[in-house]
């Protein structure tokens, strides 16, 4: 049985979606965290019903992690911070930013997307798509897109995953021993759009305001003309900055 850190790891040649495979697996195990990866992903899913394009050589991974659901917001930030730190470790000079809720931008373009879903029992399924060597065409996408290779980071998908898992485990340990505050500060110090005017597109409405960071649960804080509002889910877009308008 293969392992990465303390996670059982299975790598497939082809899957529809690693998140779907991980959900199915979560129904058959307990007391064991696991990772599913695939070389080729034919039906990758993004957040809010979007498609995640599965270009060859990129990383498609889903972690099955037993975790208390009430700490989901914190976990999402810790995942994002760990991905940020993985890239920084590989190339300290590159401009990397976290983007709420858990995307990673390199030079203002999206390099990593994360889709967290509920699995069976106490499992959370954390789906991670990393543009390791291929960035999808951005014509029909909501945002600009880039890859690690575009940034002169030459790494194989599994080597990236191993490095990330090592950093993630360390951060989970920090979360469990010292709490969320320090991790929140590190994530927020590198976040895209802080104190800028943003619009958040939600399921049925749009809210405009100044992005004031995140609270102790990873919830977005938006200063609107009426109040400081909490936003639990949505897509963030910067207003007034032509260059970044599509991110
Ligand atoms: C997003 O930014 O919209 C989230 C994208 C998440 C994509 C990953 S790829 C591995 C895992 N399996 C899926 O079907 N989706 C996630």
């Amino acid at each position: 049985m293969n392992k990465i850190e303390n996670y059982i790891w299975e790598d497939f040649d082809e899957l529809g979606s690693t998140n779907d495979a991980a959900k199915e697996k979560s129904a058959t195990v307990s007391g064991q965290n696991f990772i599913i990866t695939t070389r080729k992903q034919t039906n990758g899913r993004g957040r809010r019903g979007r498609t995640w394009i599965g270009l060859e050589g990129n990383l498609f991974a889903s972690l099955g992690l037993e975790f208390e659901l009430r700490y989901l917001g914190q976990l999402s930030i810790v995942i994002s911070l760990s991905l940020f730190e993985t890239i920084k470790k590989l190339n300290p000079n590159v401009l990397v930013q976290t983007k709420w809720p858990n995307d990673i931008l390199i030079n203002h373009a999206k390099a990593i997307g994360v889709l967290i879903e509920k699995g069976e029992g106490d499992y959370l399924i954390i789906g991670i798509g990393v543009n390791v060597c291929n960035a999808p065409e951005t014509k029909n996408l909501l945002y600009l897109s880039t890859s690690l290779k575009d940034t002169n980071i030459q790494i194989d998908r599994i080597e990236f995953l191993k490095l990330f898992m090592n950093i993630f485990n360390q951060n989970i340990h920090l979360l469990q021993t010292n709490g969320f505050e320090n991790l929140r500060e590190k994530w927020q110090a590198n976040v895209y759009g802080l104190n800028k005017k943003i619009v958040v597109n939600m399921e049925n409405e749009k809210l405009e305001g100044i992005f004031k960071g995140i609270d102790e649960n990873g919830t977005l804080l938006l200063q609107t003309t009426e109040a400081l509002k909490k936003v639990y889910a949505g897509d963030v877009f910067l207003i007034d900055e032509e260059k970044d308008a599509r991110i």
Side-chain angles (χ1 to χ4, degrees):
M1 183 196 308
N2 286 322
K3 280 196 152 190
I4 297 179
E5 299 285 322
N6 48 340
Y7 286 60
I8 290 179
W9 169 46
E10 289 171 284
D11 189 28
F12 292 84
D13 284 334
E14 182 174 329
L15 283 176
S17 155
T18 54
N19 263 36
D20 292 343
K23 273 190 202 171
E24 278 172 31
K25 189 174 173 77
S26 69
T28 66
V29 288
S30 74
Q32 175 64 64
N33 293 338
F34 61 86
I35 305 174
I36 292 180
T37 53
T38 186
R39 263 177 206 286
K40 192 171 172 197
Q41 182 170 256
T42 53
N43 193 23
R45 295 186 289 105
R47 291 192 298 115
R48 307 183 74 211
R50 290 190 288 258
T51 299
W52 185 259
I53 299 168
L55 297 177
E56 217 179 312
N58 288 345
L59 174 66
F60 314 107
S62 295
L63 276 54
L65 174 61
E66 287 183 309
F67 208 84
E68 270 191 79
L69 193 56
R70 66 191 167 118
Y71 295 120
L72 173 62
Q74 294 186 351
L75 177 68
S76 166
I77 296 299
V78 172
I79 289 279
S80 175
L81 175 67
S82 306
L83 289 165
F84 168 89
E85 290 177 343
T86 306
I87 299 178
K88 274 290 183 191
K89 190 152 197 172
L90 292 167
N91 184 349
N93 301 320
V94 68
L95 171 65
V96 191
Q97 287 168 301
T98 53
K99 177 170 178 273
W100 191 85
N102 45 31
D103 290 346
I104 297 294
L105 307 179
I106 301 181
N107 296 325
H108 295 126
K110 182 157 164 171
I112 302 181
V114 177
L115 172 67
I116 305 184
E117 298 179 301
K118 174 92 183 65
E120 291 297 322
D122 292 332
Y123 279 100
L124 290 176
I125 307 301
I126 302 158
I128 303 173
V130 182
N131 295 340
V132 175
C133 52
N134 277 307
E137 288 276 332
T138 53
K139 252 193 319 209
N140 299 319
L141 296 181
L142 269 175
Y143 44 78
L144 300 170
S145 142
T146 190
S147 70
L148 301 183
K149 195 173 166 195
D150 288 342
T151 337
N152 288 326
I153 297 174
Q154 307 278 356
I155 191 166
D156 157 83
R157 66 190 176 102
I158 301 302
E159 289 312 310
F160 181 91
L161 177 65
K162 287 180 177 167
L163 183 58
F164 160 73
M165 286 304 297
N166 181 266
I167 292 173
F168 174 59
N169 258 2
Q170 290 176 36
N171 281 332
I172 285 290
H173 179 71
L174 287 176
L175 179 68
Q176 284 162 351
T177 48
N178 302 340
F180 184 55
E181 183 50 23
N182 201 252
L183 297 158
R184 187 189 73 82
E185 278 172 19
K186 280 199 256 180
W187 181 90
Q188 194 165 288
N190 297 289
V191 73
Y192 171 78
L194 188 67
N195 291 320
K196 294 199 172 149
K197 204 169 162 194
I198 59 167
V199 57
V200 190
N201 290 354
M202 292 172 285
E203 204 65 29
N204 295 314
E205 61 169 330
K206 284 179 181 200
L207 266 184
E208 268 187 38
I210 307 291
F211 175 31
K212 301 309 284 182
I214 54 170
D215 73 3
E216 69 286 356
N217 298 311
T219 306
L220 184 143
L221 300 171
L222 190 71
Q223 183 66 58
T224 71
T225 44
E226 290 131 38
L228 185 65
K229 296 201 172 171
K230 293 195 177 215
V231 179
Y232 299 92
D235 289 320
V236 169
F237 297 88
L238 262 181
I239 305 175
D240 294 342
E241 283 194 22
E242 212 181 301
K243 181 170 164 284
D244 296 334
R246 293 172 62 211
I247 295 178

